[in-house]
Amino acid sequence: MKNAKTISTLLTAAFLTAAVAAPAVYAADTAAPTTAQKTGVYVDDSVITAKIKAAFVEDSQVSALKIKVTTKKGIVTLTGTVPNPDAGQHALQLAAAVDGVKDVKSALTVKAS
């Protein structure tokens, strides 16, 4: 009888511990991203930006243009002035072709002739 009471007490304690711990584990899994996770995003974004700038330097049509490249969460924004719409379109295509790019937004303006 004493063993049955001890087992009952232990089982009750185990269930109470599980009931208290489960919400804490769930909260930890759904919490905001850690600094390490955020850093990974920034590293990926900086790599994407660097690859796009490298592609621009290698391309004869875009290399001389002053196009600013910013990347946030894989979304690239190109800012600057281009001599004609074709040059702007070409820059957008180069940027879109880089691995990791989710979308490319244009803030490019065409230089008045």
Side-chain angles (χ1 to χ4, degrees):
M1 189 72 166
K2 189 174 182 180
N3 284 343
K5 192 170 186 176
T6 303
I7 291 173
S8 176
T9 303
L10 289 173
L11 285 174
T12 302
F15 285 124
L16 287 174
T17 302
V20 170
V25 170
Y26 175 76
D29 286 345
T30 59
T34 63
T35 301
Q37 291 168 327
K38 290 179 185 175
T39 303
V41 171
Y42 295 135
V43 169
D44 293 344
D45 286 345
S46 65
V47 169
I48 290 170
T49 299
K51 286 182 178 181
I52 292 170
K53 288 181 178 182
F56 286 179
V57 168
E58 292 176 7
D59 188 273
S60 61
Q61 229 182 327
V62 192
S63 64
L65 303 177
K66 293 183 180 178
I67 297 176
K68 180 180 176 186
V69 180
T70 55
T71 308
K72 185 171 184 179
K73 295 183 180 181
I75 300 172
V76 176
T77 303
L78 303 182
T79 309
T81 304
V82 293
N84 56 56
D86 290 339
Q89 188 62 34
H90 186 64
L92 292 169
Q93 290 170 347
L94 286 173
V98 171
D99 285 339
V101 173
K102 295 178 183 175
D103 191 19
V104 181
K105 300 193 180 291
S106 175
L108 298 171
T109 56
V110 177
K111 189 178 199 177
S113 311

